[in-house]
């Protein structure tokens, strides 16, 4: 959670109270010891409970702090703020569909906050029945897998996240106007049915051991993948691509082969959640700066290239290094770009650096850069004794894309050198674990040095962000055009220059020529 002063916090409370004040309603908190009346409000389709009412009824204590609110309950300590949809209990995150709000000076939290808190601290399960207006807290049924469901539309994709209390087998089936997620275990659903004002999803309905996702139109399709720790099923809903004239309809269960070329790009904002990355002397977190840059970069790339652009995270969430490339592989990405900010002992270090994967670092500074990034992520990941072996195997697997990754990284570095005016720091190779597992050309770019106070200040300006985003966008466009030309994808002829002008010479990559790569298809 971002930290802010007490005065700033009070100002946020005042504004939120004016904007979000709702008519309070009464509900019942039902526990093993009896029923207690509690206050709740409805806002934008979400149910918020008065945090003080529920915490007090459960025998805990709620106290305000400069960064938000602290909850002491049954020996556990939790916290939440109005600036994030993630709370914390101990070292664990509590995911909520939307951030908490302050209404009439009192904190209100989505009921899912108590679901996450009590599961992690008291082995209790919390469910909300909007029909009977009963919030129930009862012992968690270990034989059943509990589900939390959230939906958010980001950059034209409606993301459904199903957070499970444990791993579960499932299948996803396309039905007329809907998708069905069928679980092979008994589940405890968070609700029976919930409607949404969303461009692609009309409502979610739980019945027996299945979830039905009612779509708003027949041409909405889904990409699905799963994440670990906690176990989550993610479905990204979007408009289907326009059919190719003369193409045949594939049989059910068979994925159509995509046209060759750069069709899907995955952008990876470095760090996130508890893993803040490097911190500048002015207090800027690398995780916040990379997310802000990547949101703008994704929009720029989508507009400039026409490719589908996917982000590995679109909020302040913790995503493991393995999951980042797993997402890229699941989407059948044609390019993977991880965005970071650099740090150096020398405060005056400046400029951008671009890397691609290699088991051996190209120099000592590259080795230290990879070691820093890998160590930061490892602090918040489960120890994996086979990690080194995986790195070796994926280094070998990446050989197929080594020349393309080199070309891609070189093109990015050239464009960044041009706008920064810094002498070419060169494209480097290093064992960055975030690139391990990528089955496509992949690169990691350190946009600037957050350890340099001057660059830290620039990173936060719209002008600098636009300059860097424009440079990376040009690089991706260049690489896309050059790659697709090499594999024989036709491009429309450029418009003729006005009379009396001389066309500028075409930019060329510095990487050594290589045989054309085999066109990739969706796995």
């Amino acid at each position: 959670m971002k930290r802010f002063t007490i005065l700033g916090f009070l100002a946020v409370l005042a504004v939120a109270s004016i904007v979000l004040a709702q008519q309070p309603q009464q509900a019942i908190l039902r526990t093993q010891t009896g029923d207690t009346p509690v206050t709740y409000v409805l806002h934008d389709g979400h149910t918020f409970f008065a945090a003080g009412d529920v915490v007090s009824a459960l025998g805990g204590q709620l106290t305000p702090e400069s960064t938000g609110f602290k909850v002491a309950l049954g020996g556990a300590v939790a916290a939440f703020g109005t600036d994030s949809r993630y709370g914390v209990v101990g070292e664990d995150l509590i995911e909520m569909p939307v951030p908490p709000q302050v209404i009439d000076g009192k904190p209100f939290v989505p009921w899912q906050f108590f679901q996450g808190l009590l599961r992690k601290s008291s082995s209790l399960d919390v469910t909300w029945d909007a029909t009977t207006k009963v919030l129930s807290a009862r012992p968690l049924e270990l034989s059943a897998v509990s589900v939390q469901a959230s939906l958010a539309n980001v950059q034209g994709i409606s993301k459904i996240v199903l957070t499970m209390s444990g791993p579960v087998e499932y299948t996803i089936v396309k039905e007329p106007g809907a998708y069905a997620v069928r679980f092979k275990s008994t589940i405890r659903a968070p609700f029976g049915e919930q409607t949404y004002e969303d461009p692609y999803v009309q409502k979610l309905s739980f019945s027996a051991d299945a979830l039905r996702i009612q779509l708003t139109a027949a041409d909405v399709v889904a990409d699905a993948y799963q994440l670990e720790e906690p176990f989550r099923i993610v479905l990204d809903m979007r408009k289907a691509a326009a059919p190719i004239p003369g193409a045949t309809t594939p049989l059910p269960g068979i994925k159509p082969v995509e046209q060759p070329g750069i069709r899907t790009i995955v952008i990876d904002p470095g760090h996130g959640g508890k893993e803040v990355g490097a911190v500048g002397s002015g207090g800027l977190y690398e995780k916040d700066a990379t997310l802000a840059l990547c949101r703008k970069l994704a929009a720029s790339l989508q507009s400039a290239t026409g490719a589908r652009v996917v982000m590995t995270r679109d909020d302040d969430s913790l995503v493991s290094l393995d999951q980042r490339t797993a997402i890229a592989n699941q989407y059948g990405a044609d390019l993977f770009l991880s965005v970071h900010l650099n740090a150096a002992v020398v405060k005056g270090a400046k400029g951008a650096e671009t890397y691609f994967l290699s088991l051996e670092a190209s120099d000592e500074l590259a080795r230290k850069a990879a070691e820093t990034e890998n160590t930061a992520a490892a602090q918040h990941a489960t120890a994996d004794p086979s990690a080194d072996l995986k790195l070796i195997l994926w280094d070998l697997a990446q050989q197929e894309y080594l020349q393309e990754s080199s070309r891609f990284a070189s093109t990015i570095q050239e464009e960044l050198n041009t706008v920064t005016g810094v002498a070419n720091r060169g494209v480097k190779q290093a064992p960055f674990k975030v690139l391990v597992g990528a089955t496509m050309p992949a690169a990691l770019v350190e946009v600037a040095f957050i350890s340099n106070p001057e660059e830290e200040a620039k990173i936060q300006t719209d002008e600098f962000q636009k300059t860097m985003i424009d440079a990376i966008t040009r690089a991706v466009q260049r690489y896309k055009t050059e790659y697709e030309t090499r594999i024989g994808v036709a491009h429309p002829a450029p418009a003729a220059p006005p009379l009396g002008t001389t066309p500028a010479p075409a930019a060329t990559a510095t990487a050594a020529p290589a045989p054309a790569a085999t066109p990739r298809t969706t796995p």
Side-chain angles (χ1 to χ4, degrees):
M1 289 179 282
K2 299 175 184 175
R3 300 193 175 273
F4 41 82
T5 65
I6 294 179
L7 289 177
F9 179 65
L10 294 176
V12 170
L13 298 191
V15 173
S17 297
I18 295 172
V19 174
L20 298 172
Q22 304 291 315
Q23 183 64 38
Q25 302 181 55
Q26 289 296 303
I28 294 295
L29 172 63
R30 180 162 294 163
T31 66
Q32 290 179 300
T33 59
D35 292 353
T36 305
V38 290
T39 303
Y40 79 97
V41 297
L42 297 175
H43 179 69
D44 283 348
H46 297 284
T47 304
F48 294 79
F49 278 87
D53 287 3
V54 178
V55 171
S56 177
L58 293 172
Q61 185 175 12
L62 175 74
T63 54
E65 293 194 329
S66 61
T67 56
F69 296 89
K70 183 175 74 173
V71 176
L73 179 63
V77 177
F80 64 87
T82 57
D83 62 338
S84 174
R85 67 183 186 90
Y86 290 93
V88 293
V89 53
E91 293 297 318
D92 295 321
L93 294 178
I94 302 174
E95 184 176 8
M96 297 173 276
V98 290
Q101 311 290 349
V102 172
I103 303 173
D104 293 333
K106 297 180 179 179
F108 280 69
V109 295
W111 68 268
Q112 290 90 342
F113 172 80
F114 295 106
Q115 186 178 59
L117 171 61
L118 293 181
R119 282 178 179 174
K120 297 176 187 298
S121 64
S122 308
S123 296
L124 295 176
D125 191 22
V126 174
T127 58
W128 165 241
D129 190 326
T131 303
T132 61
K133 297 184 179 180
V134 173
L135 183 70
S136 300
R138 53 192 173 189
L140 187 65
E141 294 182 14
L142 299 179
S143 60
V145 178
S146 297
V147 185
Q148 296 181 64
S150 63
L151 170 66
N153 186 274
V154 180
Q155 296 176 345
I157 294 177
S158 295
K159 186 183 293 290
I160 298 172
V161 180
L162 305 176
T163 303
M164 322 294 290
S165 60
V168 61
E169 292 186 32
Y170 62 93
T171 58
I172 301 176
V173 180
K174 180 72 171 70
E175 299 179 347
Y179 277 90
V181 183
R182 298 172 183 169
F183 303 97
K184 297 184 179 180
S185 301
T186 301
I187 65 166
R188 290 186 56 80
F191 50 78
E193 180 177 294
Q194 190 159 315
T195 59
Y196 300 88
E197 292 184 4
D198 183 88
Y200 304 136
V201 178
Q202 187 179 93
K203 65 181 177 181
L204 301 182
S205 305
F206 283 93
S207 177
D209 295 325
L211 165 66
R212 191 170 192 274
I213 304 167
Q214 184 67 45
L215 307 175
T216 58
D219 61 347
V220 175
V221 296
D223 295 304
Y225 55 94
Q226 69 184 46
L227 302 174
E228 308 295 333
E229 298 179 0
F231 187 88
R232 286 158 288 171
I233 303 168
V234 183
L235 298 96
D236 286 352
M237 323 300 293
R238 58 182 174 83
K239 279 278 189 185
I244 301 171
T248 58
T249 303
L251 296 174
I254 299 178
K255 293 184 177 181
V257 176
E258 291 187 357
Q259 294 299 300
I262 307 300
R263 306 298 177 189
T264 300
I265 303 169
V266 170
I267 303 298
D268 173 46
H271 307 282
K274 294 182 290 185
E275 187 200 322
V276 301
V279 182
S281 59
L284 178 64
Y285 286 173
E286 181 181 0
K287 67 169 185 174
D288 296 330
T290 58
L291 181 58
L293 275 170
C294 287
R295 282 173 171 164
K296 296 178 180 179
L297 176 60
S300 176
L301 288 176
Q302 193 158 326
S303 173
T305 67
R308 176 175 56 158
V309 181
V310 178
M311 289 173 58
T312 58
R313 68 178 180 97
D314 49 40
D315 55 20
D316 186 21
S317 55
L318 180 63
V319 183
S320 73
L321 299 184
D322 288 343
Q323 290 169 359
R324 294 170 189 260
T325 46
I327 291 171
N329 294 337
Q330 179 68 37
Y331 275 97
D334 302 295
L335 283 180
F336 178 80
L337 179 62
S338 191
V339 178
H340 291 254
L341 294 176
N342 220 335
V345 177
V346 180
K347 294 296 184 183
K350 60 181 181 178
E353 294 179 337
T354 312
Y355 297 82
F356 61 100
L357 181 67
S358 173
L359 190 60
E360 298 295 331
S362 53
D363 56 45
E364 182 62 16
L365 291 178
R367 185 192 66 78
K368 288 183 177 179
E371 187 177 83
T372 299
E373 296 288 357
N374 296 342
T375 301
Q379 291 174 352
H380 304 286
T382 303
D384 183 358
S386 65
D388 290 338
L389 176 60
K390 286 181 181 178
L391 180 60
I392 294 171
L393 293 176
W394 277 113
D395 179 67
L396 295 174
Q398 185 68 16
Q399 294 295 319
E400 179 182 351
Y401 309 103
L402 184 62
Q403 289 178 318
E404 291 301 331
S405 294
S406 175
R407 280 192 173 101
F408 182 37
S410 295
T411 307
I412 292 172
Q413 189 64 47
E414 289 168 12
E415 293 290 347
L416 291 175
N417 287 340
T418 300
V419 297
T420 59
V422 176
N424 192 351
R425 304 181 70 94
V427 173
K428 302 181 180 182
Q429 295 175 262
F432 282 99
K433 292 184 179 179
V434 72
L435 300 179
V436 173
T439 56
M440 73 288 299
L444 181 146
V445 59
E446 303 270 12
V447 175
F449 279 82
I450 196 173
S451 55
N452 182 331
E454 292 184 5
E455 294 218 330
E456 178 190 12
K458 288 197 302 183
I459 290 165
Q460 301 175 71
T461 66
D462 291 338
E463 180 182 3
F464 181 81
Q465 290 180 17
K466 185 177 187 307
T467 297
M468 305 308 281
I469 288 165
D470 288 349
I472 296 174
T473 300
R474 286 194 301 272
V476 173
Q477 284 179 296
R478 272 183 55 193
Y479 175 80
K480 181 177 186 294
T481 299
E482 293 165 2
Y483 172 75
E484 292 178 349
T485 299
R486 280 186 279 113
I487 67 173
V489 175
H491 288 88
L499 293 176
T501 63
T502 301
T508 57
T510 59
T518 303
R520 297 184 69 251
T521 60
T522 302

